[in-house]
Amino acid sequence: MTLFDRVFSGNDAVYGLTEAAIDNAIAQYGADQAVSFPHTAYSLPCYYAVTGTKVANLGELKEALGVVKTLMTREQKLNDAFMSGVATALCAEFIEVLKYINGAEPYAEPYYGHLADAIIRELGVPLVTGDIPGVAVILGKAPSNEEAVELVKSYQAQGILVTLVGDVIDQCVEAGLKMGYALRIVPLGKDVTSVIHVVSVALRAALIFGNVTPGDAGALMKYTMDRVPAFVNAFKPLDDVVVACGAGAIALGFPVVTNETENIFRVPKSLIVQEDVSKFNATSLEARDIKIKITKIDIPVSFASAFEGEIIRKG
Amino acid sequence: MGDFKLTTVEEMEAATNRLLETGAKVGADAWQIRVKNQTPHCKFGEQGICCRICAMGPCRITPKAPRGICGCDAHGIVGRNYLKFTAGGAATHSDHGREICHTLYAADPNGAYKVKDPDKLIRIAKEWGVETEGKDIYDLAHEMAELALMEYGKPFGVQRWLKRAPEHTQKLWHDAEIEPRAIDREVATSLHMTHMGCSSKPEALVRQSLRAGLADGWGGSMCGTEFSDVLFGTPKPIDTEANLGVMNAENVNIVVHGHDPSLSEMVCEYADDPEMIAYAKSMGAKGITVSGVCCTSNEVAMRRGIPMAGNFLQQENVVLTGACEAIVVDVQCIFPALGPLSKCFHTKFITTSPIAQMPDSDYIRFDVGTAAEKAKQIVKTACENFKNRKPELVYIPDMKQKATVGYSLEALVKVLDGVTNSQVDVTGTTKPLLECVTSGVIRGAVAMVGCNNPKVRPDTAHIEMMKKLIANDIVVVASGCSAQAAAKAGLMDKAAKDLCGAGLKRVCELADIPPVLHMGSCVDISRMMILVSELAKDSGLKISQLPVVGCAPEWMSEKAVSIGNYVVATGIDTFLGVDPYVSGSSEMGEWLTNGVRDWVEAAYTVETDIDKLCDKMIERIEEKRTAIGI
């Protein structure tokens, strides 16, 4: 199977799930049922950023899915794969917003799920000044808990904002890693679709700080590529859905580093196979052209701006 | 997007028409007029069924006269004509390569010609098993030059360069008995075979055509390219400009035209000399502008960023600007029409080679020994001619495009190193390109080469096909007049990435390259042969399995046929937009478009409908992808 076929297959799978989920929701709540994420002025931020259209209720969500379908062309070309990646991301956003239906609170400690606009505005300045030199999206299950923690900590020590999706969160919890937005480690959720919440951050950044007009997909992708220093670390095994999400990330300019060697195609600067997880950090930074100037201070504890919000509890 | 815009063929034609008005005023002839005079062409010649190799003829084949006087049928006549055509092309490139070897032999640390890329020389020496340790680089240069010159006439063995091909390819050549022996021998054997009463069997004639072609591509042309790099430097990416607008009305304009960089390099060298610039100023000009036409232009553009005034069918336009003080030529593809044309203006038409002497020219014989002094004389002559310019005839069309050129194989590998990740990849290979191709980001590559031909609306096929290919995520490597067409249109401007499909566009952005890569002159097609060989070795695939094809949509010269033969023989399907005078023989057609596939795993496709030709290439590339499961 070609790389693009895998993207298309993953996209089809997610689209199918999304369609069923929306239909079920309409059957349950009716087409007029409102849908929204909490604490955002950007409706469904990804869909809004890409198309310029706000979605208010389930009926409109169904219509929006029709728009997403138009992105799902099936020629063996990168543009088709990119658009299918974007379509996959938008489907993920639809699935995620359904979780919030009727005022539900689907995410609880340690998971964050959707991130509020306020957080993005807060992140904006350190991102621009380079105080946060990058955004890591770590996804899947690391070969071991130790390797998971070591990787997360390595980014944390560089001041990189780390977002986690899937089993890696459990691994970090088991290993007793302190996590939280203040520490720049944000566990998003267990489902792969929760990765959309970091994409949502990148796209809202483009709207808020980049002055990108919602619906100007070209300018949006250029902004994320040039200005949002994000990258993805995806652990094996990669299924087609993850590959499809990866295509979306690459479309936005975010390289994907994976330790998957089966049925994967390497793409320079975009899809990089690094079998050694301990080298994910160096590989990712080089792939995203992130250069960090570090003055190493020889002290017995970790030192980074990421620890600035740390709360020392008694005991 | 910025304000980037391609120059259209219509705009170029409008400029040409304006220049032809000037020409009409002074009574100048033009190829546009001569084409009309020659049309319609003789059908027997067009179909390749006219034979005049002996004095019993000329014979021609008709339904009533199916055989010539000797009894040769249409297939034999077409086959012999085809082989002779090839031999002409192979001889031409090979002699060019030979001249370069002689120049290398004359290289001297205190002379006009120096070794500018000693590392490349040492690399080739090691490849040829020559001891390099502790040897003076000039001694090595002379030794290597002599060895290379032996390749032209050695009594035994086959071409040294063949070893650069993947083993599978070498075996195909060996089994098909098309390994070229001495370069000149293959040309001579071809002429022997085509003599009256020798070969008239299409199979044998086609086989020798491939062998003579290989003697060129993997012999003479490769010598030309490799040792030109040693002498004048291996090209690196460099910015330049293209089209007639590069000529400067206030300067002395010297146009170099022809092929051998030994001449053009020296002219450029002296045109840059402060003493010469001062001399130009003393003649009333503001400076000296050297620009080029055809392949010698490609050579100096690749190495020095000298702007390209135009390609083959634009050579007369250079003179028609009325602002050309001297058009300096050496060999190959030079219209004898330039002589009479230059007489209509103040332009000096300076011929320099005993190989290419023409009426109505100033002959300043150029050779390695006197290169410096002759180049100086040429530049001086041009400067002195500035005052003879007729201002009322001066019109330089205000059109030019930016181009980034200089993509030798070495430069390409360096570009590819730039997109590797030091944590996972090795450098110095073609692997990043292979990864782009296998993942589907780039669908494949097309090598666009060849000439202009009035039978095709000039430059249209080159430009339109390239536009379609890059929009389909197919990267284009170009050489010769095809490359210049691309540069004139703007396809070698990095901004042209916006005309690409998403895949190629991304690659252009990440690697910082234009979508059409200029690999050099016509002898530099040998660079492309080494590139595909490296791709095959790095991927473990056969050359014929790579999603790569060659295309000469507007070809016209014998050299182009020789090139086509070695490209096919190297395992690359080749697409022609002009029929190589073989339509008179079904057997020859069958051999070239199908039969040779059994020997070399590739064949020709001839299609004069340019749109269809392009679709067929894209189709072939996709077929090759499917076949290897990518």
Side-chain angles (χ1 to χ4, degrees):
Chain A
M1 202 142 83
T2 69
L3 182 61
F4 295 166
D5 284 335
R6 294 198 65 189
V7 173
F8 298 150
S9 149
N11 178 211
D12 287 339
V14 174
Y15 180 84
L17 292 174
T18 312
E19 196 174 32
I22 294 174
D23 288 345
N24 285 341
I26 290 175
Q28 195 177 343
Y29 300 103
D32 293 334
Q33 169 69 40
V35 285
S36 69
F37 287 112
H39 311 298
T40 179
Y42 300 92
S43 177
L44 274 61
C46 298
Y47 186 75
Y48 179 57
V50 172
T51 64
T53 309
K54 290 194 174 183
V55 172
N57 58 40
L58 282 174
E60 288 175 18
L61 192 64
K62 179 81 184 172
E63 279 170 36
L65 192 66
V67 175
V68 169
K69 183 77 183 168
T70 64
L71 299 177
M72 295 163 57
T73 51
R74 290 291 175 259
E75 253 194 272
Q76 291 283 333
K77 294 278 167 59
L78 185 65
N79 188 53
D80 302 69
F82 271 180
M83 288 306 123
S84 288
V86 171
T88 307
L90 296 176
C91 285
E93 184 171 56
F94 294 177
I95 289 177
E96 286 293 310
V97 81
L98 290 175
K99 291 182 181 171
Y100 286 90
I101 209 161
N102 218 3
E105 289 181 11
Y107 288 100
E109 277 281 323
Y111 307 117
Y112 275 71
H114 173 78
L115 298 172
D117 286 354
I119 289 185
I120 295 160
R121 290 184 193 280
E122 199 181 318
L123 283 174
V125 175
L127 265 172
V128 171
T129 58
D131 185 40
I132 297 178
V135 180
V137 182
I138 304 178
L139 191 150
K141 187 174 184 179
S144 70
N145 293 1
E146 293 72 32
E147 280 166 285
V149 170
E150 197 189 324
L151 181 65
V152 172
K153 278 182 156 175
S154 72
Y155 289 128
Q156 188 188 31
Q158 289 163 330
I160 288 171
L161 176 70
V162 185
T163 60
L164 304 174
V165 175
D167 292 342
V168 66
I169 300 174
D170 295 342
Q171 291 181 301
C172 289
V173 170
E174 279 172 34
L177 183 71
K178 280 194 206 169
M179 297 188 286
Y181 166 65
L183 296 171
R184 292 192 187 166
I185 303 173
V186 183
L188 293 170
K190 282 287 283 185
D191 298 336
V192 66
T193 48
S194 67
V195 74
I196 196 64
H197 300 306
V198 60
V199 177
S200 170
V201 171
L203 298 193
R204 272 181 283 169
L207 299 183
I208 297 169
F209 306 112
N211 205 20
V212 171
T213 312
D216 187 349
L220 184 73
M221 285 156 85
K222 186 168 167 31
Y223 184 86
T224 54
M225 184 165 194
D226 294 347
R227 304 298 292 274
V228 182
F231 55 87
V232 179
N233 287 173
F235 293 114
K236 68 177 176 187
L238 297 189
D239 61 23
D240 289 352
V241 170
V242 176
V243 172
C245 293
I250 293 168
L252 296 176
F254 309 153
V256 176
V257 174
T258 179
N259 58 345
E260 180 65 274
T261 53
E262 297 293 316
N263 200 10
I264 197 82
F265 291 87
R266 294 162 170 82
V267 183
K269 290 208 86 125
S270 299
L271 179 49
I272 297 164
V273 175
Q274 171 58 272
E275 294 184 51
D276 184 350
V277 173
S278 73
K279 289 183 182 161
F280 265 26
N281 182 309
T283 309
S284 302
L285 264 50
E286 185 178 327
R288 195 64 183 109
D289 294 321
I290 297 172
K291 291 180 181 67
I292 298 175
K293 274 180 266 170
I294 294 181
T295 312
K296 188 107 177 133
I297 305 172
D298 193 14
I299 49 175
V301 291
S302 298
F303 171 80
S305 53
F307 297 104
E308 280 170 15
E310 189 172 1
I311 297 166
I312 316 276
R313 295 184 198 284
K314 284 180 184 170
Chain B
M1 290 279 179
D3 50 6
F4 173 72
K5 193 181 154 292
L6 287 183
T7 304
T8 63
V9 171
E10 285 74 14
E11 287 166 334
M12 293 187 213
E13 283 171 346
T16 300
N17 288 338
R18 170 72 178 73
L19 290 169
L20 289 172
E21 281 172 27
T22 315
K25 254 187 255 171
V26 295
D29 192 17
W31 65 260
Q32 289 86 346
I33 300 167
R34 298 192 297 274
V35 168
K36 281 201 185 103
N37 293 344
Q38 288 292 343
T39 314
H41 297 282
C42 166
K43 290 279 172 252
F44 298 100
E46 266 188 342
Q47 294 173 39
I49 47 173
C50 164
C51 181
R52 42 178 302 278
I53 63 170
C54 81
M56 294 191 290
C59 294
R60 58 189 188 179
I61 300 300
T62 67
K64 274 189 188 167
R67 287 177 188 275
I69 293 169
C70 68
C72 189
D73 62 10
H75 311 302
I77 291 174
V78 169
R80 287 195 304 229
N81 286 338
Y82 184 81
L83 176 54
K84 269 170 123 60
F85 218 96
T86 307
T92 311
H93 278 146
S94 300
D95 222 31
H96 168 171
R98 186 196 332 261
E99 286 301 318
I100 295 290
C101 295
H102 277 294
T103 307
L104 183 67
Y105 189 76
D108 184 306
N110 304 311
Y113 296 103
K114 301 184 175 65
V115 172
K116 277 203 187 156
D117 191 344
D119 293 341
K120 183 153 187 170
L121 179 65
I122 290 168
R123 216 162 58 232
I124 300 168
K126 286 186 173 152
E127 193 182 319
W128 284 10
V130 173
E131 182 57 59
T132 59
E133 217 53 51
K135 207 173 272 175
D136 178 81
I137 198 73
Y138 283 87
D139 290 341
L140 182 64
H142 303 152
E143 187 180 344
M144 289 296 289
E146 219 172 329
L147 277 176
L149 285 164
M150 287 306 289
E151 290 296 291
Y152 284 81
K154 62 184 183 185
F156 306 108
V158 297
Q159 285 297 298
R160 288 172 181 272
W161 299 117
L162 302 187
K163 292 238 176 337
R164 290 183 164 188
E167 278 180 22
H168 173 77
T169 308
Q170 292 185 47
K171 186 170 183 310
L172 288 179
W173 290 339
H174 181 78
D175 293 348
E177 289 187 54
I178 55 171
E179 291 164 296
R181 302 157 295 178
I183 299 163
D184 291 348
R185 180 177 180 184
E186 299 308 350
V187 174
T189 298
S190 300
L191 295 178
H192 183 178
M193 286 175 76
T194 56
H195 189 273
M196 184 271 142
C198 283
S199 284
S200 51
K201 192 172 164 186
E203 179 182 344
L205 294 162
V206 168
R207 200 185 288 275
Q208 180 60 18
S209 297
L210 296 185
R211 181 147 70 169
L214 285 171
D216 168 358
W218 290 83
S221 280
M222 209 169 275
C223 283
T225 296
E226 295 298 274
F227 295 120
S228 290
D229 284 356
V230 168
L231 280 166
F232 308 119
T234 303
K236 296 194 274 274
I238 188 167
D239 293 333
T240 184
E241 290 176 329
N243 216 345
L244 282 173
V246 303
M247 293 174 73
N248 187 330
E250 294 177 325
N251 288 358
V252 170
N253 285 297
I254 303 176
V255 176
V256 290
H257 176 17
H259 283 78
D260 185 346
S262 302
L263 169 68
S264 51
E265 279 283 333
M266 281 302 127
V267 171
C268 291
E269 193 79 36
Y270 281 95
D272 248 0
D273 187 9
E275 187 197 334
M276 285 295 128
I277 294 169
Y279 192 64
K281 285 182 178 159
S282 75
M283 296 289 154
K286 288 200 167 163
I288 303 174
T289 297
V290 181
S291 58
V293 173
C294 266
C295 278
T296 211
S297 169
N298 289 321
E299 300 271 3
V300 286
M302 291 281 283
R303 297 198 180 88
R304 291 174 175 263
I306 297 291
M308 300 175 273
N311 49 358
F312 178 64
L313 282 180
Q314 212 164 328
Q315 57 183 287
E316 292 174 348
N317 291 14
V318 174
V319 179
L320 289 168
T321 61
C324 176
E325 272 60 54
I327 179 161
V328 190
V329 305
D330 49 33
V331 290
Q332 302 169 25
C333 305
I334 299 147
F335 274 167
L338 289 175
L341 178 64
S342 66
K343 297 291 172 216
C344 299
F345 293 85
H346 75 302
T347 307
K348 296 263 185 206
F349 176 45
I350 303 174
T351 49
T352 61
S353 168
I355 302 275
Q357 305 183 45
M358 297 187 200
D360 300 313
S361 69
D362 293 10
Y363 183 44
I364 301 180
R365 185 166 171 169
F366 187 85
D367 52 55
V368 249
T370 58
E373 118 200 15
K374 292 292 173 67
K376 213 166 172 178
Q377 185 191 343
I378 289 166
V379 175
K380 266 185 122 169
T381 307
C383 291
E384 283 155 9
N385 197 23
F386 184 76
K387 60 180 184 296
N388 298 326
R389 198 188 271 189
K390 297 172 186 129
E392 72 279 11
L393 293 181
V394 173
Y395 171 71
I396 300 175
D398 180 24
M399 53 169 58
K400 61 180 175 184
Q401 287 278 5
K402 287 187 193 132
T404 304
V405 303
Y407 292 98
S408 59
L409 176 62
E410 289 85 341
L412 276 179
V413 168
K414 199 153 181 234
V415 163
L416 293 173
D417 281 348
V419 296
T420 56
N421 192 300
S422 66
Q423 300 293 322
V424 282
D425 298 316
V426 290
T427 53
T429 73
T430 62
K431 280 183 179 159
L433 177 57
L434 283 166
E435 289 173 359
C436 290
V437 172
T438 47
S439 61
V441 171
I442 295 178
R443 306 306 293 169
V446 173
M448 291 280 287
V449 304
C451 328
N452 289 137
N453 188 327
K455 286 179 182 166
V456 181
R457 189 179 173 188
D459 294 336
T460 325
H462 291 302
I463 294 169
E464 294 308 315
M465 289 175 87
M466 288 182 195
K467 275 161 63 183
K468 190 163 184 176
L469 292 169
I470 64 174
N472 278 284
D473 286 337
I474 293 168
V475 67
V476 176
V477 293
S479 74
C481 288
S482 184
Q484 287 176 321
K488 284 195 294 177
L491 290 162
M492 286 174 174
D493 188 329
K494 285 176 186 170
K497 70 179 167 58
D498 289 327
L499 303 169
C500 300
L504 183 55
K505 182 180 175 182
R506 182 64 71 99
V507 171
C508 289
E509 282 171 351
L510 291 178
D512 191 30
I513 52 169
V516 178
L517 298 165
H518 195 325
M519 289 192 80
S521 64
C522 49
V523 292
D524 291 342
I525 296 170
S526 59
R527 297 188 198 278
M528 298 178 182
M529 297 304 102
I530 306 170
L531 172 62
V532 290
S533 298
E534 290 304 305
L535 286 168
K537 290 179 201 167
D538 285 341
S539 65
L541 295 166
K542 298 169 186 171
I543 290 178
S544 59
Q545 289 177 306
L546 297 168
V548 172
V549 300
C551 181
E554 303 182 21
W555 76 271
M556 68 82 204
S557 70
E558 291 174 321
K559 292 188 290 177
V561 171
S562 176
I563 291 166
N565 282 337
Y566 75 70
V567 174
V568 165
T570 302
I572 303 168
D573 284 317
T574 298
F575 292 72
L576 303 179
V578 176
D579 179 67
Y581 300 148
V582 295
S583 62
S585 160
S586 55
E587 283 184 28
M588 275 299 289
E590 171 62 18
W591 272 109
L592 294 176
T593 59
N594 196 20
V596 294
R597 201 174 284 282
D598 290 342
W599 304 333
V600 293
E601 301 173 349
Y604 283 103
T605 300
V606 182
E607 173 59 67
T608 51
D609 180 329
I610 295 306
D611 218 34
K612 280 191 196 153
L613 185 70
C614 195
D615 291 341
K616 283 181 179 175
M617 288 202 289
I618 297 174
E619 212 174 288
R620 186 68 51 86
I621 283 172
E622 292 297 334
E623 276 169 20
K624 284 183 182 285
R625 295 188 63 90
T626 309
I628 53 172
I630 57 172

